[in-house]
Amino acid sequence: MSRLATILKYKFTSLFMKHRIVYLLLFAILPGTLFSQTYQELSGRNTLNVITTAVPFMMIAPDTRAGSMGDAGVSTSPDVYSMHWNPAKYTYLKSDMSVGLSYTPWLRNLVPDMNLAYLAFAKRINENSAFASTLRFFTLGDIQFTDDNGDDRGTFRPSEWALDGTYSRKLTPHLSGAVAGRFIYSNLTSGQVVGGGNTSAGISAAADIAVYWEKEVVWFRDVDTRFAWGINVSNIGTKISYRNTSIAKDFIPTNLRFGPTLTLALDDYNEIAFTVDVNKLLVPTPPIYKKDTITGNPVVDPATGDYEIDKGMSDDVSVVAGILQSFYDAPGGFSEEMRELSFSVGAEYWYNKVFAIRGGAFYEDKTKGNRKFFTLGAGLRYNVFGLDFSYLIPVDTRNNPLQNTLRFALTFDLGAYNKKK
């Protein structure tokens, strides 16, 4: 890491620990302006150009099982937490009804009281269809607000939540599809005055479209094998704003996720699965703006009042245009588009369908966020009760905010599904 990047990281970390409201504003209200310019100042072949969105909590892995497999889950065997990864998997649930609760203390190296809770419910309707709903709640802990003079403006506990539901149905014996709807509420500032104006809670509505395919295959002698793949386009929805009077709105994290899973039943007691997820944000990449050769400031177009673009494309577009544009708008061309892909790989071993050991890895390019970590986890099933645990190990452990991330989950599978119903 360069000296300048190290200084920036230290400054933002120190500022965040003292004043979390700064973090909220930078990452929620001003993602497309302040940060894109800051990153572009770090010039070079591998220029930082991170895609930022509002409500980033929607991209945090909410459950323990996928969180222990490198955040992979688009084509793994279905469970009650499939909503985040691929809601089309619900039609293949083996239980008649499932309830799950997952809890994740988040960024504990920086903040002691930030956490994510996830409540999930799934119900088989019949052999070919299922319904599911989840509630995601993210709290950023207690924040003391102060004005420009440092006077106390009260204490507030910012929070965000999302409520969704899905209907999943088999389209063929081996292929299922799903459509999910979602309501997102983000209250970060409690109406505080920021930048000379009142703020408000952000509200958005979104939808997911997903498909899932699985089939028993004969690829290995004397080994029962199942192959599956899945595709999920999530959070296709309206932009969000934190000001009632502002026309400036930010994208929510629309995301494309796809990948395969191979499951091997080695014998009556031992089963192992290998899975891969590929992710791409379907959000415009910030452009690189022209700069004045003398002052180094961005050049303003006198006709429009906007910054002139040197490379890339304007990210002030509609949601649909942004989804399409996200595949070809990177300032660095095709090579930068490829760097916008992130990868998850994971493995899961079950003994007698009672005890599981899991592991995985996550990779994101250093110019697009630089998240790199390994994950470990375990699971236990006894009758209708399930308990899961996972632990995240960052590649760079030097003051990494993701270090010591733990997840816990309880699951209740209320009876096996009876096809005669």
Side-chain angles (χ1 to χ4, degrees):
M1 180 180 290
S2 68
R3 177 178 174 82
L4 178 56
T6 302
I7 294 174
L8 285 174
K9 178 179 178 181
Y10 173 79
K11 291 295 185 182
F12 279 116
T13 300
S14 300
L15 191 61
F16 176 76
M17 294 177 69
K18 295 179 180 179
H19 303 289
R20 271 176 281 178
I21 188 62
V22 175
Y23 164 85
L24 302 179
L25 299 180
L26 291 181
F27 285 90
I29 298 177
L30 305 174
T33 55
L34 176 63
F35 264 63
S36 62
Q37 294 169 27
T38 301
Y39 290 148
Q40 290 156 18
E41 290 173 3
L42 303 178
S43 60
R45 189 168 185 177
N46 291 324
T47 302
L48 293 172
N49 195 17
V50 180
I51 301 174
T52 58
T53 69
V55 293
F57 82 105
M58 295 297 299
M59 295 299 292
I60 300 174
D63 70 297
T64 302
R65 182 188 175 210
S68 62
M69 292 191 288
D71 289 1
V74 73
S75 59
T76 53
S77 59
D79 59 22
V80 70
Y81 303 107
S82 295
M83 179 74 78
H84 178 79
W85 308 102
N86 187 343
K89 298 195 296 183
Y90 280 118
T91 55
Y92 292 92
L93 273 177
K94 292 180 171 57
S95 60
D96 181 59
M97 185 168 63
S98 294
V99 179
L101 175 63
S102 181
Y103 175 75
T104 304
W106 192 242
L107 301 183
R108 281 303 166 96
N109 266 19
L110 297 180
V111 182
D113 53 357
M114 184 183 298
N115 58 76
L116 173 68
Y118 193 61
L119 178 64
F121 170 82
K123 178 72 172 69
R124 291 291 300 264
I125 300 173
N126 53 45
E127 187 176 354
N128 295 314
S129 60
F131 165 80
S133 181
T134 67
L135 173 64
R136 178 195 306 250
F137 183 81
F138 185 64
T139 177
L140 291 101
D142 294 325
I143 292 180
Q144 182 179 356
F145 288 91
T146 59
D147 58 21
D148 294 338
N149 298 320
D151 296 328
D152 185 15
R153 297 293 300 274
T155 300
F156 178 59
R157 194 175 181 85
S159 62
E160 303 173 290
W161 57 269
L163 177 65
D164 46 34
T166 185
Y167 174 74
S168 176
R169 184 173 181 83
K170 286 185 180 180
L171 306 176
T172 72
H174 304 291
L175 178 69
S176 63
V179 175
R182 181 169 297 111
F183 177 80
I184 303 170
Y185 182 86
S186 175
N187 188 8
L188 299 181
T189 59
S190 187
Q192 295 290 321
V193 176
V194 178
N198 290 329
T199 59
S200 63
I203 295 176
S204 179
D208 300 353
I209 301 175
V211 293
Y212 174 72
W213 183 93
E214 73 166 27
K215 186 179 181 181
E216 302 291 336
V217 294
V218 184
W219 290 356
F220 306 98
R221 181 180 298 177
D222 299 328
V223 177
D224 294 334
T225 306
R226 184 174 69 255
F227 180 74
W229 56 263
I231 303 173
N232 184 24
V233 182
S234 60
N235 299 319
I236 308 169
T238 59
K239 293 182 181 180
I240 197 169
S241 174
Y242 292 90
R243 295 182 187 272
N244 288 329
T245 59
S246 176
I247 61 173
K249 295 185 177 182
D250 300 306
F251 287 94
I252 64 174
T254 306
N255 184 71
L256 169 65
R257 182 188 305 273
F258 61 92
T261 295
L262 181 67
T263 304
L264 306 174
L266 305 177
D267 53 39
D268 292 340
Y269 295 95
N270 299 280
E271 181 179 279
I272 188 168
F274 304 94
T275 188
V276 177
D277 273 20
V278 182
N279 285 277
K280 177 175 172 56
L281 276 172
L282 303 184
V283 177
T285 305
I288 294 178
Y289 297 99
K290 292 182 180 179
K291 291 187 177 181
D292 188 284
T293 56
I294 298 177
T295 65
N297 296 324
V299 177
V300 177
D301 186 342
T304 63
D306 298 327
Y307 293 133
E308 292 188 16
I309 295 176
D310 183 29
K311 295 180 181 179
M313 303 174 64
S314 172
D315 54 0
D316 185 15
V317 296
S318 67
V319 171
V320 175
I323 292 174
L324 299 175
Q325 179 178 310
S326 66
F327 290 98
Y328 57 84
D329 65 349
F334 180 74
S335 61
E336 184 175 349
E337 291 289 352
M338 295 303 296
R339 293 198 299 271
E340 291 179 357
L341 299 177
S342 62
F343 302 90
S344 302
V345 295
E348 180 181 50
Y349 165 77
W350 278 97
Y351 175 75
N352 200 26
K353 301 186 184 301
V354 172
F355 177 72
I357 298 176
R358 307 180 181 105
F362 180 91
Y363 172 84
E364 184 178 60
D365 190 84
K366 62 182 179 181
T367 65
K368 295 297 178 178
N370 200 31
R371 290 176 298 164
K372 300 181 180 70
F373 53 80
F374 298 100
T375 57
L376 297 172
L380 180 67
R381 297 292 182 270
Y382 181 75
N383 291 332
V384 301
F385 172 78
L387 176 64
D388 295 283
F389 162 84
S390 71
Y391 182 70
L392 187 149
I393 308 169
V395 173
D396 183 359
T397 59
R398 296 170 297 177
N399 298 320
N400 195 306
L402 292 176
Q403 192 172 357
N404 299 323
T405 297
L406 301 172
R407 290 182 174 93
F408 309 90
L410 292 174
T411 305
F412 298 90
D413 292 324
L414 307 179
Y417 179 70
N418 185 353
K419 294 184 178 181
K420 294 182 180 180
K421 286 185 177 182

